[in-house]
Amino acid sequence: MEKLLILNPGSTSTKIAYYEDEKQIFVESISHSADVIAKYDLIVDQYEFRKDMILDVLKDKGVVLEDLTGIVARGGLLPPVKAGAYTVNDDMVWQLKNKPAMEHASNLGAVIADAIAKPLGIPAFIYDGVTVDEMWPILKITGLEEVTRKGIGHNLNTRAAAMKYAREHDKAYKDCKLIVVHLGGGISVTLQYGGKVADIINDEDGPFAPERSGKLPIQSFTKYFGNSGMSTKDMLKKLKSRGGLVAHLGVNDSREVEKMIKAGDEHAKLIYDAMALNVARCVGEEAATVGGDVEGIVLTGGIAYSEYFTNEVKKNVEWIAPVTVYPGENEMESLALGGLRVLRGEEEANTFVKVE
């Protein structure tokens, strides 16, 4: 039996789970107050206090560390990586501590996993990191030589959804031709083709979302930014956390928006329907990338629980391919199942080499 510890650090919490084979024994979300987080200048400085809290929870739950056979962590902001598993090694830990692609709490996952796993003599992995980049070269080209598109987004959830689709249709993942949409605080649309994440319209370049502004008309935005008096840092924060539904309606919860619509708020309906239509348009964009050769469209993420929203998307994309809905993000399960595949020899873990 494989006994796995799963780690998923977020900005204000650290989720941990314990699995015995495919069975989740428990999942726990450890909250971190804003006051505590504010004490640390860099994400990596939070390493010790988060690790200690994880160990305290494991002790309280009666988990014997020596019984663990592996640890799987959410992948941090590494330089571009392949999809699938990577063994946590010294190069990866160095990269995340000293030269990550971006500051983000998920950078702590592999660092903490390594610190717990090494003394136990067990392997630690990351799986389907945020920076998976398998995009076809032609899709990276933009109208400026200095600016290229990059593969970055909700790879963990969208690949897990695609693999679930493959299992349910008795197919190999590599033989599937899918468009998978992650519907969460940010929205991304992926083309999963030939066993690769061949393209991704990420939550910065695609539909606006509960908190993200998504793609904007470049000339209008450039004028707005120039006249705003905001710093680049503040503007990026606005685009990332104060755009979308927050900007238009003042809320980031789609359930609240649906309550507003049911109460007769026509403006809320217009904005919400526009968000759904933007999703559908990006699905159409990915379908055009492969000349319509798509067998299925998969909607996943938290907003996929909404029948209203998924129906709005469906009515504009079902002409392309049948739509399957897998609600929820299922990140902990996705990490656990990925780790199990490696430990069982069904997948081979990649080796990370640092980029200085």
PDB file of all heavy atoms in Angstrom, residues 44 92-100 103:
ATOM      1  N   VAL A  44       9.667  32.430   0.315  1.00  0.00           N
ATOM      2  CA  VAL A  44      10.524  31.361   0.828  1.00  0.00           C
ATOM      3  C   VAL A  44      10.778  31.509   2.326  1.00  0.00           C
ATOM      4  O   VAL A  44      11.055  30.533   3.025  1.00  0.00           O
ATOM      5  CB  VAL A  44      11.855  31.316   0.043  1.00  0.00           C
ATOM      6  CG1 VAL A  44      12.730  32.524   0.363  1.00  0.00           C
ATOM      7  CG2 VAL A  44      12.593  30.013   0.283  1.00  0.00           C
ATOM      8  N   MET A  92      15.861  21.661  -8.101  1.00  0.00           N
ATOM      9  CA  MET A  92      14.528  22.246  -8.013  1.00  0.00           C
ATOM     10  C   MET A  92      14.378  23.106  -6.766  1.00  0.00           C
ATOM     11  O   MET A  92      13.839  24.223  -6.823  1.00  0.00           O
ATOM     12  CB  MET A  92      13.467  21.146  -8.011  1.00  0.00           C
ATOM     13  CG  MET A  92      12.044  21.686  -8.010  1.00  0.00           C
ATOM     14  SD  MET A  92      10.785  20.378  -7.931  1.00  0.00           S
ATOM     15  CE  MET A  92      11.016  19.571  -9.515  1.00  0.00           C
ATOM     16  N   VAL A  93      14.864  22.611  -5.658  1.00  0.00           N
ATOM     17  CA  VAL A  93      14.788  23.375  -4.408  1.00  0.00           C
ATOM     18  C   VAL A  93      15.569  24.669  -4.540  1.00  0.00           C
ATOM     19  O   VAL A  93      15.104  25.744  -4.127  1.00  0.00           O
ATOM     20  CB  VAL A  93      15.291  22.521  -3.225  1.00  0.00           C
ATOM     21  CG1 VAL A  93      15.401  23.372  -1.966  1.00  0.00           C
ATOM     22  CG2 VAL A  93      14.371  21.335  -2.993  1.00  0.00           C
ATOM     23  N   TRP A  94      16.756  24.595  -5.144  1.00  0.00           N
ATOM     24  CA  TRP A  94      17.556  25.814  -5.347  1.00  0.00           C
ATOM     25  C   TRP A  94      16.790  26.817  -6.204  1.00  0.00           C
ATOM     26  O   TRP A  94      16.742  28.008  -5.886  1.00  0.00           O
ATOM     27  CB  TRP A  94      18.890  25.471  -6.030  1.00  0.00           C
ATOM     28  CG  TRP A  94      19.740  26.692  -6.255  1.00  0.00           C
ATOM     29  CD1 TRP A  94      20.693  27.192  -5.422  1.00  0.00           C
ATOM     30  CD2 TRP A  94      19.684  27.583  -7.387  1.00  0.00           C
ATOM     31  NE1 TRP A  94      21.241  28.344  -5.965  1.00  0.00           N
ATOM     32  CE2 TRP A  94      20.644  28.606  -7.150  1.00  0.00           C
ATOM     33  CE3 TRP A  94      18.930  27.612  -8.546  1.00  0.00           C
ATOM     34  CZ2 TRP A  94      20.849  29.649  -8.069  1.00  0.00           C
ATOM     35  CZ3 TRP A  94      19.125  28.663  -9.455  1.00  0.00           C
ATOM     36  CH2 TRP A  94      20.080  29.653  -9.219  1.00  0.00           C
ATOM     37  N   GLN A  95      16.196  26.327  -7.294  1.00  0.00           N
ATOM     38  CA  GLN A  95      15.473  27.202  -8.219  1.00  0.00           C
ATOM     39  C   GLN A  95      14.339  27.928  -7.505  1.00  0.00           C
ATOM     40  O   GLN A  95      14.150  29.145  -7.659  1.00  0.00           O
ATOM     41  CB  GLN A  95      14.917  26.392  -9.386  1.00  0.00           C
ATOM     42  CG  GLN A  95      14.420  27.240 -10.543  1.00  0.00           C
ATOM     43  CD  GLN A  95      15.549  27.678 -11.460  1.00  0.00           C
ATOM     44  OE1 GLN A  95      16.334  26.862 -11.911  1.00  0.00           O
ATOM     45  NE2 GLN A  95      15.643  28.962 -11.729  1.00  0.00           N
ATOM     46  N   LEU A  96      13.563  27.187  -6.735  1.00  0.00           N
ATOM     47  CA  LEU A  96      12.398  27.766  -6.077  1.00  0.00           C
ATOM     48  C   LEU A  96      12.788  28.713  -4.947  1.00  0.00           C
ATOM     49  O   LEU A  96      12.065  29.672  -4.658  1.00  0.00           O
ATOM     50  CB  LEU A  96      11.499  26.652  -5.542  1.00  0.00           C
ATOM     51  CG  LEU A  96      10.816  25.814  -6.629  1.00  0.00           C
ATOM     52  CD1 LEU A  96      10.175  24.571  -6.026  1.00  0.00           C
ATOM     53  CD2 LEU A  96       9.770  26.641  -7.379  1.00  0.00           C
ATOM     54  N   LYS A  97      13.937  28.456  -4.328  1.00  0.00           N
ATOM     55  CA  LYS A  97      14.396  29.346  -3.261  1.00  0.00           C
ATOM     56  C   LYS A  97      15.067  30.603  -3.801  1.00  0.00           C
ATOM     57  O   LYS A  97      14.892  31.693  -3.250  1.00  0.00           O
ATOM     58  CB  LYS A  97      15.396  28.601  -2.361  1.00  0.00           C
ATOM     59  CG  LYS A  97      14.770  27.655  -1.365  1.00  0.00           C
ATOM     60  CD  LYS A  97      15.851  27.073  -0.460  1.00  0.00           C
ATOM     61  CE  LYS A  97      15.258  26.246   0.667  1.00  0.00           C
ATOM     62  NZ  LYS A  97      16.302  25.695   1.564  1.00  0.00           N
ATOM     63  N   ASN A  98      15.828  30.446  -4.887  1.00  0.00           N
ATOM     64  CA  ASN A  98      16.696  31.539  -5.337  1.00  0.00           C
ATOM     65  C   ASN A  98      16.275  32.238  -6.619  1.00  0.00           C
ATOM     66  O   ASN A  98      16.514  33.426  -6.783  1.00  0.00           O
ATOM     67  CB  ASN A  98      18.127  31.005  -5.518  1.00  0.00           C
ATOM     68  CG  ASN A  98      18.711  30.477  -4.242  1.00  0.00           C
ATOM     69  OD1 ASN A  98      19.051  31.223  -3.342  1.00  0.00           O
ATOM     70  ND2 ASN A  98      18.807  29.161  -4.138  1.00  0.00           N
ATOM     71  N   LYS A  99      15.644  31.497  -7.532  1.00  0.00           N
ATOM     72  CA  LYS A  99      15.329  32.109  -8.818  1.00  0.00           C
ATOM     73  C   LYS A  99      14.059  31.520  -9.424  1.00  0.00           C
ATOM     74  O   LYS A  99      14.066  30.975 -10.521  1.00  0.00           O
ATOM     75  CB  LYS A  99      16.510  31.920  -9.781  1.00  0.00           C
ATOM     76  CG  LYS A  99      16.541  32.932 -10.914  1.00  0.00           C
ATOM     77  CD  LYS A  99      17.822  32.785 -11.722  1.00  0.00           C
ATOM     78  CE  LYS A  99      17.858  33.791 -12.875  1.00  0.00           C
ATOM     79  NZ  LYS A  99      19.079  33.639 -13.683  1.00  0.00           N
ATOM     80  N   PRO A 100      12.926  31.671  -8.725  1.00  0.00           N
ATOM     81  CA  PRO A 100      11.668  31.206  -9.312  1.00  0.00           C
ATOM     82  C   PRO A 100      11.251  32.127 -10.445  1.00  0.00           C
ATOM     83  O   PRO A 100      11.692  33.286 -10.518  1.00  0.00           O
ATOM     84  CB  PRO A 100      10.686  31.282  -8.138  1.00  0.00           C
ATOM     85  CG  PRO A 100      11.227  32.379  -7.278  1.00  0.00           C
ATOM     86  CD  PRO A 100      12.727  32.294  -7.404  1.00  0.00           C
ATOM     87  N   GLU A 103       7.181  35.042  -7.754  1.00  0.00           N
ATOM     88  CA  GLU A 103       6.893  34.775  -6.351  1.00  0.00           C
ATOM     89  C   GLU A 103       5.469  34.226  -6.222  1.00  0.00           C
ATOM     90  O   GLU A 103       4.513  34.850  -6.683  1.00  0.00           O
ATOM     91  CB  GLU A 103       7.028  36.059  -5.526  1.00  0.00           C
ATOM     92  CG  GLU A 103       8.460  36.479  -5.262  1.00  0.00           C
ATOM     93  CD  GLU A 103       9.115  35.614  -4.204  1.00  0.00           C
ATOM     94  OE1 GLU A 103       8.573  35.508  -3.084  1.00  0.00           O
ATOM     95  OE2 GLU A 103      10.177  35.027  -4.482  1.00  0.00           O
TER      96      GLU A 103
END
